[in-house]
């Protein structure tokens, strides 16, 4: 029995390796280079905007700006998940009926890996970094005005920002999976007003 189990396990391992070899996807060097350049310039632009917005503003506006970046990160995470979990057939059917945004939905779905990477990794992560750095500005303001230890207030502020981001993305992911077609279509429809496939 022991030898039989070993041979069965070896056969399973061979099948898994064959499956992995078939599933191997070519690394798109051009896309990696593009995403690296894009992320650099988007990050630079968004950091510049946040620095200008956060300099010489009240505590209320600092919190508001931080919340905007958190919400933006969550929204793009929802779009990224929707693209990967949506059904392409639905959009082909809509495209055949010439429904606005359907062709862009098909295009996004065919490039789901790239769209998801851009939305979740590039925009999502940049928003996370910026909301974190703006949290430091909020902590510094609170520390001065409330005369509380900068370390304590920074830890609390960072924890609140992280908690809001993680909770928002967790809710967003279930929302995106359950309504993936509708979310992708509505996003593509908005894009269709500024870009035509």
């Amino acid at each position: 029995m022991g030898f039989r189990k070993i041979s069965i396990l070896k056969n399973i391992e061979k099948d898994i390796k064959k499956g992995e070899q078939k599933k191997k996807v070519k690394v798109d060097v051009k896309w990696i280079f593009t995403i690296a350049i894009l992320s650099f310039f988007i990050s630079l632009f968004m950091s510049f905007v946040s620095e200008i917005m956060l300099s010489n503003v009240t505590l209320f506006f600092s919190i508001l700006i931080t919340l905007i970046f958190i919400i933006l990160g969550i929204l793009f995470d929802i779009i990224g998940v929707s693209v990967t979990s949506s059904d392409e057939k639905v959009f082909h059917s809509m495209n055949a009926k010439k429904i606005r945004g359907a062709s862009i939905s098909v295009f996004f779905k065919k490039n789901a890996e790239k769209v998801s990477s851009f939305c979740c990794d590039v925009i999502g992560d940049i928003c996370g970094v910026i909301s974190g750095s703006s949290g430091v500005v909020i902590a510094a303001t609170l520390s001065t005005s409330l005369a509380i230890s900068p370390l304590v207030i920074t830890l609390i502020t960072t924890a609140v920002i992280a908690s809001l981001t993680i909770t928002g993305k967790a809710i967003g992911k279930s929302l995106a999976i359950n309504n993936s077609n509708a979310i992708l279509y509505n996003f593509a429809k908005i894009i269709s007003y500024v870009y035509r496939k």
Side-chain angles (χ1 to χ4, degrees):
M1 279 297 283
F3 288 114
R4 191 177 174 189
K5 281 182 181 178
I6 291 166
S7 64
I8 290 167
L9 286 171
K10 281 183 179 177
N11 288 333
I12 291 168
E13 282 176 15
K14 282 179 185 176
D15 291 339
I16 290 168
K17 283 178 182 177
K18 281 180 185 176
E20 284 174 354
Q21 285 172 354
K22 285 178 184 176
K23 285 181 183 177
K24 277 184 181 176
V25 181
K26 286 182 181 178
V27 176
D28 192 342
V29 178
K30 188 181 175 183
W31 168 247
I32 292 167
F33 181 74
T34 305
I35 208 76
I37 299 295
L38 264 175
S39 60
F40 175 79
F41 284 107
I42 292 168
S43 178
L44 194 69
F45 173 73
M46 287 173 81
S47 298
F48 176 71
V49 169
S50 69
E51 283 295 319
I52 289 170
M53 289 168 81
L54 287 166
S55 59
N56 302 317
V57 293
T58 61
L59 180 64
F60 172 77
F61 281 109
S62 295
I63 293 167
L64 186 67
I65 290 160
T66 305
L67 286 172
I68 288 166
F69 277 109
I70 291 169
I71 291 164
L72 195 65
I74 292 165
L75 284 174
F76 272 91
D77 197 66
I78 289 169
I79 293 161
V81 173
S82 297
V83 171
T84 53
S85 57
S86 58
D87 183 11
E88 193 176 329
K89 290 175 188 175
V90 174
F91 303 115
H92 280 295
S93 174
M94 289 167 72
N95 196 24
K97 294 172 188 173
K98 304 288 181 188
I99 295 170
R100 187 184 194 101
S103 63
I104 293 173
S105 298
V106 171
F107 175 74
F108 283 164
K109 185 61 191 173
K110 284 186 183 294
N111 295 280
E113 186 187 330
K114 292 175 182 178
V115 175
S116 179
S117 175
F118 178 78
C119 291
C120 298
D121 301 331
V122 178
I123 303 296
D125 290 354
I126 288 169
C127 285
V129 169
I130 291 170
S131 61
S133 61
S134 61
V136 174
V137 175
I138 293 167
T141 309
L142 284 171
S143 177
T144 307
S145 58
L146 300 174
I148 300 172
S149 165
L151 177 64
V152 172
I153 206 76
T154 302
L155 288 172
I156 292 167
T157 307
T158 307
V160 169
I161 290 168
S163 178
L164 287 172
T165 305
I166 292 162
T167 306
K169 286 189 177 186
I171 295 165
K173 275 180 173 62
S174 13
L175 183 75
I177 291 164
N178 293 327
N179 305 282
S180 56
N181 292 338
I183 291 166
L184 176 56
Y185 169 67
N186 284 307
F187 176 64
K189 192 177 178 181
I190 292 164
I191 298 296
S192 72
Y193 288 102
V194 291
Y195 171 76
R196 286 193 177 274
K197 176 76 181 62

